[in-house]
């Protein structure tokens, strides 16, 4: 069994340890097949990912040569596998993946489980998402995104990472762990200054830490940023948190104010 990692630089894990994929074109080929999660990818799409506007004259032959090279490499890593992982179909090429073999798929599965969890399971949600976020080793594909398909996949995985962070912070705040996540929330808000949920959560964590003035300052800076960058005003949910802080609303010490609008 192989395990593939794309939440960071591309890695292939075998029972004997990590294995390399040699060459930029081979990496793009593997990445594109992986993010398709078992669905066939047309030869045209693969060629565009691998070569962009510099597609060779004999594209089909060049692509087939790279696919054959990939098959040989995977066969070296899984000598006991009865059939090749990479197969050709009328609609394109497909890389067979079993459950648990792609870290991005496992990560998304964990986020979806967390999204369906009840507030009463905050501790379990915090653990689940803490473990899931620990799967990230850096930017998707190590920043080597290739063409459009890989770029879109990278953006999708990154959005799931943001969602996982929001859900984990929410669970931690429900558990009264505002002090433990304050530094992480500050970093998340600074790194994603237009993401209002991080701002809401940071304001609540600051308020619960006895820093009402700092919480309101975060709101005012967010409002200016939204106006200057996007020409919009804070959302009703963010304004509700501001008003609750000003009114010393008792709900800020519970979980009711943590629900997004």
């Amino acid at each position: 069994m192989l395990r593939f990692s794309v939440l960071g630089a591309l890695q292939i894990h075998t029972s004997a340890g990590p294995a390399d994929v040699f060459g930029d074109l081979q990496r793009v080929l593997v990445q594109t097949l992986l993010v398709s999660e078992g669905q066939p990818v047309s030869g045209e799409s693969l060629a565009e990912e691998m070569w962009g506007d510099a597609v060779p004259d004999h594209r089909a032959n060049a692509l087939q040569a790279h696919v054959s090279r990939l098959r040989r490499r995977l066969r070296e890593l899984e000598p006991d596998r009865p059939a090749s992982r990479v197969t050709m179909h009328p609609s394109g090429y497909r890389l067979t993946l079993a459950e648990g073999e792609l870290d991005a798929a496992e990560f998304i599965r964990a986020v979806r489980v967390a999204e369906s969890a009840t507030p009463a399971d905050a501790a379990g949600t915090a653990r689940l998402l803490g473990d899931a976020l620990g799967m990230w080793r850096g930017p998707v594909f190590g920043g080597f995104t290739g063409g459009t398909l890989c770029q879109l996949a990278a953006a999708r995985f990154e959005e799931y990472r943001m969602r996982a962070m929001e859900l984990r912070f929410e669970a931690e705040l429900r558990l009264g762990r505002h002090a433990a996540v304050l530094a992480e929330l500050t970093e998340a808000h600074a790194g994603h200054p237009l993401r209002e949920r991080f701002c809401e959560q940071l304001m609540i964590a600051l308020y619960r830490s006895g820093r009402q003035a700092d919480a309101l300052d975060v709101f005012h800076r967010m409002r200016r940023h939204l106006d200057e960058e996007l020409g919009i005003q804070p959302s009703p949910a963010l304004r509700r948190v501001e008003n609750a802080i000003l009114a010393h609303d008792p709900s800020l010490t519970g979980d009711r104010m943590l629900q997004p609008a």
Side-chain angles (χ1 to χ4, degrees):
M1 176 178 173
L2 299 180
R3 289 185 297 109
F4 300 88
S5 298
V6 297
L7 302 181
L10 173 65
Q11 289 185 349
I12 301 178
H13 305 273
T14 74
S15 57
D20 292 325
V21 175
F22 302 106
D24 290 350
L25 291 175
Q26 282 285 291
R27 284 200 296 275
V28 174
L29 174 59
V30 174
Q31 289 172 182
T32 306
L33 291 171
L34 285 173
V35 299
S36 300
E37 297 184 40
Q39 299 301 310
V41 185
S42 71
E44 181 179 354
S45 295
L46 285 172
E48 289 177 358
E49 290 292 302
M50 295 169 66
W51 289 288
D53 295 331
V55 177
D57 292 335
H58 302 288
R59 179 184 67 188
N61 290 339
L63 178 59
Q64 182 59 51
H66 276 283
V67 170
S68 297
R69 180 181 169 191
L70 175 59
R71 283 176 175 147
R72 287 195 300 272
R73 179 57 175 152
L74 294 178
R75 193 179 304 120
E76 291 172 359
L77 301 177
E78 289 184 298
D80 296 331
R81 188 179 181 90
S84 175
R85 278 185 180 267
V86 182
T87 54
M88 187 174 183
H89 300 262
S91 53
Y93 294 92
R94 175 177 181 266
L95 191 152
T96 300
L97 285 170
E99 185 173 326
E101 291 185 337
L102 177 62
D103 62 347
E106 291 301 292
F107 179 77
I108 291 172
R109 188 175 294 112
V111 176
R112 289 174 176 168
V113 169
E115 287 178 326
S116 63
T118 64
D121 194 27
T125 298
R127 284 194 301 271
L128 172 67
L129 292 176
D131 291 343
L133 287 164
M135 298 167 65
W136 285 73
R137 298 170 288 105
V140 180
F141 310 129
F144 186 75
T145 53
T148 301
L149 292 178
C150 287
Q151 290 167 14
L152 290 173
R156 181 166 65 95
F157 299 154
E158 179 63 21
E159 181 59 31
Y160 269 103
R161 186 173 77 90
M162 294 297 100
R163 180 61 175 149
M165 292 171 66
E166 291 174 347
L167 290 169
R168 176 177 164 259
F169 289 142
E170 181 176 311
E172 297 285 7
L173 289 173
R174 281 203 184 104
L175 295 167
R177 299 173 182 167
H178 46 275
V181 297
L182 185 54
E184 290 180 76
L185 268 170
T186 301
E187 183 179 357
H189 176 57
H192 306 275
L194 296 178
R195 200 166 184 101
E196 291 190 60
R197 190 64 179 141
F198 287 152
C199 183
E200 292 175 41
Q201 293 171 324
L202 177 58
M203 290 169 64
I204 292 168
L206 287 166
Y207 178 80
R208 290 182 178 181
S209 300
R211 298 169 58 182
Q212 177 178 344
D214 290 337
L216 293 172
D217 183 60
V218 167
F219 173 81
H220 296 148
R221 285 188 282 111
M222 180 72 170
R223 182 171 59 189
R224 287 195 300 271
H225 202 63
L226 289 171
D227 181 48
E228 292 170 0
E229 295 291 325
L230 302 177
I232 62 175
Q233 292 300 306
S235 67
L238 191 54
R239 291 198 298 270
R240 280 198 298 273
V241 174
E242 181 209 18
N243 291 333
I245 289 173
L246 290 169
H248 297 281
D249 192 322
S251 64
L252 282 175
T253 60
D255 62 11
R256 187 159 56 89
M257 290 294 294
L258 301 180
Q259 296 301 320

